[in-house]
């Protein structure tokens, strides 16, 4: 099955739109994407009303107005720094059109003296004369009707002007196809929503501020379509996962007790509860599909370990899959500690293992000698064969997709699945990421943890902060220095980190290390080990440390240009300290000139450590000014849904998707065909793949 032909034009490059060359294409890629459908999803962020068309004498300065004028004379500037003026009039008064940096005879052609023109732009009063600096529109009289309208304003970027973006968007939007209705007719009617193509046209053609509201029927409809595609995808995956029956894993109480005794601490109440819930699921004849949600440092690993022990006690093997090499090694260190005391064998397999050593690992996995396997994507490879895989734990930190979960759990017959995530997703949004997965939450921090003292300090005081580190080092503190995100570009991040590293070395000598994403895994490990063992006092790093590094002795974190980070990311970063029993300090260096939203983020992070509160706040502050690293927040990358406004639609889409698949699990009816188109429209290709194999 392939994409319906009717959608093909949508997935063409934007180059197919008149006026889009390589340069425009790049600019549009920045604001929307490289394909025509990306332009469809780029909804207006504002509007310009050009319907105000007064006589000059009545025209009010400050307004956008469309005037009908006769051109009188051109007054070129006496000096280049002065503007070029074109004096015009109507029967009630005069107006000057003002231009800076005029080149060639463009204006003479556009505004020939003696002729009438429609001009539109913002009116200003200057020396008692009404003027329009750089009119947006200069047009002949017969175009009046098309000028005196409301223009949508699209998100812009340097080099992309409103005028050009409008022209290109209008060109792209002529290609909106009419698609068969995929939603239930009665439901659409009840919601008073337009058809899809109508909705898209309306959303791009706002007539008033109200039309820009996320609650406008057109925008709601579009958001709903996206949510439906999202929920259908999740529901299809779920059907696929449920195709495999589960099996009863009863565990081995003696082994469980031994493992508990091997843990170097007493479990918290919520860890105990989570373990009970997990064991209970594993005991059922159905497959476990559970999410373990817990803030950074809440102790998910120990819970995962006890689940592994339960699987092993039932005669099976377990695997923990981590998103990065670094995190896999971290798990290895922790899990091995627990496991060796319980006499369980742990092996770690990552992309780094090659040749003979890899073969040895594979053999121990295949023979069942390895009870617990820790690894990265390398585990997906076909020659990784388990003797009897009973439990898959995915420590995902949002870097895996659902299909990867399937790919791994297909390696075992009937195996149970536990997904661990450190990103607390607001309750309303859990459905969009995990569907109706069962959830266990770790709500308390392990005993003995002290709250982190978080301080906001202006960038200007960076010297004081650096000097302050000396005192910290004297008390044997270990320090993370996190370098600013420059752009969403690793290269620039790296340059900043290297520069800071150089400066810190000048100050503090050899006991400073550098960690960044471009280092070879082995080198990263060496640096981490040195920091962990205390050979290094200061670790200068890019945001790579965010992903699951555990050095309990690290008690100080300085984040440079904290205002550039998203809330979720700051929260994740800060979670690297406050992991031991010593008091920790997090210093957020920020630019005091940063915007209101950035300030709100900083005070939020200062005032709370509760991941769920931070997640809710993150959701509220989203959309208000762009944040680098929003991907980390773990929310799905919606194009048309604004989670903060459309959350009420989520549950409806969830129920809708279930009902649809109950009736037509393979989407074969005529509505099913339309729904397949919807899935293609939102590029849920994996969902369609499972549909085919189902
Ligand atoms: P997470 O994966 O949830 O971020 P970890 O499982 O890495 O957290 O645990 C963080 C730290 O807390 C580890 O050093 C771990 O040994 C410790 N820890 C876990 N559970 C407890 C507990 N109940 N009491 C004390 N320390 C704990
Ligand atoms: Mg962890």
């Amino acid at each position: 099955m392939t994409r319906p032909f009717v959608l093909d034009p949508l997935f063409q490059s934007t180059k197919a739109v008149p006026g889009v060359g390589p340069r425009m294409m790049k600019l549009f890629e920045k604001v929307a994407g490289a394909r025509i459908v990306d332009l469809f999803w780029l909804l207006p962020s504002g509007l310009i009303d050009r319907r105000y068309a007064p006589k000059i004498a009545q025209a009010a300065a400050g307004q956008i107005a469309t005037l009908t004028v006769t051109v009188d004379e051109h007054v070129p500037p006496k000096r280049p720094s002065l503007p070029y003026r074109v004096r015009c009039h109507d029967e009630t008064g005069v107006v000057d059109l003002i231009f800076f940096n005029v080149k060639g005879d463009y204006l003479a052609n556009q505004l020939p003296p003696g002729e009438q023109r429609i001009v539109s732009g913002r009116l200003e009063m200057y020396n008692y004369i009404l003027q329009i600096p750089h009119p947006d529109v200069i047009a002949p009289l017969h175009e009046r009707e098309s000028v005196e309208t409301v223009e949508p304003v699209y998100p812009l970027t340097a080099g992309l002007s409103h005028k050009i973006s409008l022209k290109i968007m209008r060109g792209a939007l002529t290609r909106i196809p009419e698609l068969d209705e995929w939603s239930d007719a009665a439901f659409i009617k009840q919601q008073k929503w337009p058809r899809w193509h109508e909705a898209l046209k309306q959303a791009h053609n706002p007539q008033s501020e109200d039309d820009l509201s996320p609650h406008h029927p057109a925008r709601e409809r579009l958001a709903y379509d996206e949510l439906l595609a999202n929920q259908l995808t999740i529901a299809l995956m779920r059907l696929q996962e449920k195709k495999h029956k589960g099996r009863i894993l009863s565990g081995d109480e003696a082994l469980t007790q031994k493992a508990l005794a091997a843990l170097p601490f007493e479990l918290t109440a919520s860890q105990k509860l989570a373990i009970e819930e997990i064991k209970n699921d594993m005991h059922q004849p159905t497959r476990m599909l559970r999410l373990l949600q817990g803030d950074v440092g809440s102790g998910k690993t120990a819970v995962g370990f006890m689940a592994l022990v339960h699987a092993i006690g039932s005669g099976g093997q377990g695997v923990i899959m981590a998103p990065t090499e670094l995190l896999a090694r971290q798990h290895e260190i922790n899990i091995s500690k627990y496991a060796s005391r319980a006499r369980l064998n742990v092996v770690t397999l990552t992309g780094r293992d090659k040749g003979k050593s890899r073969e040895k690992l594979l053999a121990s996995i295949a023979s069942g000698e390895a009870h617990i396997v820790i690894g990265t994507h390398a585990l997906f490879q076909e020659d990784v064969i388990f003797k009897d895989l009973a439990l898959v734990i995915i420590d995902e930190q949002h870097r895996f997709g659902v299909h990867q979960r399937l790919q791994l759990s297909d390696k075992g017959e009937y195996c149970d699945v536990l997904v661990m995530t450190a990103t607390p997703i607001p309750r309303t949004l859990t459905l969009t990421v995990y569907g109706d997965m069962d959830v266990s939450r770790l709500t308390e921090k392990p005993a003995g943890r002290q709250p982190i003292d978080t301080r906001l300090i202006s960038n200007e005081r960076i010297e004081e902060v650096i000097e302050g580190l000396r005192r910290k080092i004297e008390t044997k503190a270990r320090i993370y220095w996190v370098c600013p995100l420059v752009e969403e570009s690793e290269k620039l991040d790296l340059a900043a980190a290297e520069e800071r590293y150089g400066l810190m070395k000048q100050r503090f000598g050899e006991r400073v290390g550098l960690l960044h994403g471009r280092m070879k895994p082995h080198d990263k490990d060496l640096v981490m080990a040195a920091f962990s063992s205390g050979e290094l006092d200061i670790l200068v790093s890019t945001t790579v440390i965010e992903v699951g590094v555990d050095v309990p002795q690290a008690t100080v974190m300085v984040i440079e240009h904290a205002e550039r980070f998203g809330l979720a990311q700051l929260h994740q970063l800060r979670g690297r300290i406050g992991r031991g029993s010593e008091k920790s300090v997090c210093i957020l260096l920020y630019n005091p000139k940063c915007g209101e939203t950035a300030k709100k983020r900083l005070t939020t992070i200062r005032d709370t450590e509760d991941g769920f509160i931070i997640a809710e706040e993150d959701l509220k502050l989203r959309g208000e000014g762009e944040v680098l690293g929003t991907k980390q927040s773990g929310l799905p990358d919606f194009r048309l849904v604004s989670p903060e406004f459309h959350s009420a639609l989520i549950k409806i889409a969830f129920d809708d998707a279930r009902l649809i698949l109950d009736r037509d699990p393979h989407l074969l009816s005529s509505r099913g065909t339309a729904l397949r188109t919807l899935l293609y429209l939102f590029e849920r290709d994996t969902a369609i793949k499972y549909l085919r194999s189902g």
Side-chain angles (χ1 to χ4, degrees):
M1 198 174 73
T2 52
R3 192 166 63 205
F5 292 129
V6 60
L7 293 184
D8 285 348
L10 276 58
F11 288 91
Q12 272 182 313
S13 154
T14 52
K15 272 195 214 141
V17 180
V20 181
R23 199 175 75 88
M24 276 300 136
M25 191 178 155
K26 280 235 172 63
L27 294 174
F28 270 101
E29 226 175 306
K30 260 196 190 157
V31 292
R35 301 149 320 161
I36 290 177
V37 71
D38 297 316
L39 303 190
F40 287 6
W41 302 153
L42 182 73
L43 299 186
S45 50
L47 51 82
I48 297 176
D49 191 342
R50 299 198 189 281
R51 290 174 300 185
Y52 175 59
K55 293 289 174 212
I56 291 172
Q58 276 86 49
Q63 298 265 64
I64 300 248
T66 302
L67 307 178
T68 304
V69 297
T70 304
V71 181
D72 295 326
E73 60 167 335
H74 286 235
V75 187
K78 297 201 180 64
R79 274 177 284 133
S81 61
L82 293 172
Y84 187 108
R85 278 189 308 131
V86 180
R87 173 64 55 93
C88 304
H89 77 276
D90 70 3
E91 63 273 26
T92 68
V94 297
V95 65
D96 282 349
L97 309 181
I98 303 289
F99 302 87
F100 289 88
N101 300 319
V102 175
K103 288 192 192 83
D105 50 6
Y106 165 79
L107 283 178
N109 292 334
Q110 287 278 303
L111 295 161
E115 294 205 11
Q116 283 197 303
R117 287 287 183 273
I118 307 288
V119 294
S120 184
R122 191 170 295 282
L123 296 169
E124 283 178 9
M125 193 61 91
Y126 186 76
N127 277 344
Y128 305 103
I129 298 212
L130 199 64
Q131 62 179 37
I132 304 182
H134 286 271
D136 303 320
V137 181
I138 300 172
L141 286 196
H142 68 264
E143 284 181 19
R144 184 204 309 251
E145 255 177 54
S146 67
V147 175
E148 276 181 31
T149 55
V150 180
E151 281 172 12
V153 175
Y154 291 98
L156 303 174
T157 184
L160 183 63
S161 71
H162 162 67
K163 223 157 143 180
I164 291 182
S165 99
L166 182 65
K167 186 169 150 271
I168 288 170
M169 286 300 293
R170 282 190 169 149
L173 295 170
T174 58
R175 295 166 190 240
I176 298 175
E178 233 177 272
L179 302 174
D180 291 334
E181 182 58 72
W182 45 72
S183 268
D184 179 56
F187 172 63
I188 294 289
K189 200 165 158 212
Q190 179 209 338
Q191 298 287 334
K192 301 199 171 64
W193 284 344
R195 293 280 309 276
W196 175 77
H197 65 276
E198 282 301 330
L200 200 53
K201 283 179 191 163
Q202 284 178 25
H204 280 283
N205 200 9
Q207 293 300 302
S208 68
E209 291 291 330
D210 282 352
D211 293 354
L212 296 169
S213 154
H215 297 302
H216 185 273
R219 290 211 179 201
E220 276 201 344
R221 149 107 225 200
L222 295 175
Y224 186 78
D225 290 334
E226 187 170 30
L227 283 171
L228 184 59
N230 161 269
Q231 289 301 309
L232 260 183
T233 306
I234 293 176
L236 280 165
M237 299 290 181
R238 190 54 43 86
L239 274 184
Q240 184 72 13
E241 284 176 316
K242 285 203 170 139
K243 269 204 335 204
H244 302 272
K245 285 220 214 60
R247 73 189 210 200
I248 295 175
L249 298 176
S250 327
D252 171 356
E253 195 48 35
L255 183 64
T256 296
Q257 288 311 324
K258 206 157 91 185
L260 273 179
L263 292 178
F265 42 71
E266 179 73 21
L267 292 169
T268 64
S270 60
Q271 279 174 321
K272 283 182 190 158
L273 179 63
I275 293 168
E276 276 319 302
E277 288 169 335
I278 290 165
K279 288 205 306 203
N280 203 16
D281 282 359
M282 294 175 81
H283 207 105
Q284 304 297 319
T286 47
R287 243 179 149 189
M288 169 168 79
L289 204 51
R290 184 170 282 276
L291 178 66
L292 177 62
Q293 243 184 338
D295 231 327
V296 198
S298 60
K300 294 183 293 297
T301 313
V303 174
F305 172 69
M306 291 311 295
L308 290 166
V309 167
H310 190 84
I312 297 159
S314 318
Q317 292 164 288
V319 52
I320 297 196
M321 161 100 175
T324 63
E325 172 96 29
L326 200 65
L327 194 52
R329 297 290 161 196
Q330 199 77 55
H331 277 313
E332 181 184 19
I333 293 167
N334 282 324
I335 300 263
S336 304
K337 250 189 291 186
Y338 309 155
S340 66
R341 269 176 267 170
R343 301 199 178 285
L344 298 175
N345 299 325
V346 181
V347 303
T348 304
L349 182 77
T350 71
R352 236 200 283 168
D353 298 298
K354 302 248 154 64
K356 278 265 167 336
S357 81
R358 182 166 185 275
E359 272 166 35
K360 237 175 86 190
L361 290 172
L362 292 186
S364 81
I365 297 170
S367 71
E369 187 193 325
H371 298 115
I372 297 172
V373 182
I374 299 170
T376 56
H377 281 85
L379 291 170
F380 287 144
Q381 275 147 25
E382 247 171 68
D383 57 354
V384 181
I385 296 162
F386 290 82
K387 175 155 184 274
D388 180 11
L389 182 60
L391 173 67
V392 171
I393 299 182
I394 307 224
D395 189 355
E396 68 160 21
Q397 318 246 2
H398 295 290
R399 280 164 174 86
F400 293 114
V402 189
H403 56 286
Q404 283 165 310
R405 191 164 83 214
L406 278 173
Q407 215 177 329
L408 192 57
S409 54
D410 279 350
K411 285 192 185 286
E413 226 172 317
Y414 323 120
C415 70
D416 285 329
V417 177
L418 178 69
V419 178
M420 304 200 295
T421 169
T423 310
I425 300 170
R427 238 167 240 279
T428 44
L429 293 184
T430 314
L431 270 183
T432 65
V433 186
Y434 295 104
D436 59 341
M437 227 179 200
D438 297 309
V439 180
S440 295
R441 286 202 161 97
L442 298 184
T443 49
E444 58 201 317
K445 294 241 160 129
R449 293 285 171 78
Q450 300 217 29
I452 297 171
D453 178 8
T454 302
R455 298 181 201 164
L456 305 185
I457 297 182
S458 157
N459 274 343
E460 291 147 17
R461 292 171 54 198
I462 189 166
E463 274 307 313
E464 274 170 63
V465 170
I466 293 175
E467 275 315 302
L469 296 182
R470 277 192 204 288
R471 286 190 302 278
K472 290 285 178 192
I473 291 170
E474 278 161 21
T475 67
K476 295 265 171 289
R478 254 163 266 169
I479 300 159
Y480 289 113
W481 185 288
V482 182
C483 290
L485 280 167
V486 180
E487 245 174 65
E488 210 112 15
S489 141
E490 234 184 38
K491 224 180 183 164
L492 294 175
D493 289 359
L494 179 54
E498 276 175 339
E499 191 186 334
R500 175 59 60 201
Y501 171 62
L503 291 171
M504 294 302 251
K505 268 184 99 132
Q506 282 173 17
R507 294 290 191 87
F508 297 98
E510 290 308 306
R511 293 173 63 82
V512 180
L514 174 66
L515 185 73
H516 59 77
R518 294 227 173 156
M519 284 163 71
K520 293 213 178 73
H522 181 64
D523 296 336
K524 274 193 214 168
D525 288 356
L526 286 180
V527 174
M528 275 321 295
F531 185 60
S532 191
S533 70
E535 269 169 60
L536 298 175
D537 296 324
I538 301 179
L539 184 64
V540 175
S541 117
T542 58
T543 51
V544 288
I545 51 157
E546 183 187 359
V547 200
V549 169
D550 187 17
V551 180
Q553 300 85 349
T555 52
V556 180
M557 176 174 283
V558 181
I559 304 181
E560 260 186 89
H561 279 294
E563 78 280 358
R564 296 186 189 164
F565 293 84
L567 262 181
Q569 204 173 17
L570 287 172
H571 179 58
Q572 294 261 354
L573 283 168
R574 183 176 56 181
R576 298 299 127 211
I577 55 171
R579 294 171 84 92
S581 50
E582 295 297 311
K583 195 155 179 57
S584 292
V585 187
C586 179
I587 294 171
L588 304 177
L589 286 171
Y590 74 105
N591 176 358
K593 293 198 199 84
C594 70
E596 278 309 304
T597 309
K599 282 208 178 106
K600 185 79 185 56
R601 283 199 301 268
L602 293 174
T603 50
T604 300
I605 208 85
R606 180 193 61 199
D607 296 342
T608 184
E609 276 187 68
D610 184 326
F612 284 95
I613 294 179
I614 290 170
E616 297 287 351
E617 203 56 36
D618 192 21
L619 190 59
K620 273 194 229 146
L621 295 177
R622 281 177 130 232
E624 294 184 37
E626 217 190 321
V627 181
L628 293 167
T630 33
K631 285 216 163 52
Q632 322 271 340
S633 67
L635 303 176
D637 238 348
F638 285 125
R639 307 292 299 267
L640 301 162
V641 177
S642 313
E644 61 276 42
F645 299 111
H646 296 132
S647 60
L649 297 176
I650 296 171
K651 180 68 169 57
I652 304 177
F654 169 77
D655 291 335
D656 201 0
R658 282 241 267 210
L659 200 63
I660 288 167
L661 293 181
D662 274 352
R663 289 188 193 148
D664 183 12
H666 303 291
L667 299 183
L668 296 171
S669 65
S670 66
R671 184 178 172 202
T673 309
L675 283 160
R676 284 171 186 246
T677 305
L678 172 73
L679 289 172
Y680 275 112
L681 183 62
F682 285 102
E683 299 169 77
R684 306 291 176 164
D685 298 22
T686 31
I688 292 165
K689 195 175 96 206
Y690 285 114
L691 199 54
R692 186 170 32 189
S693 67

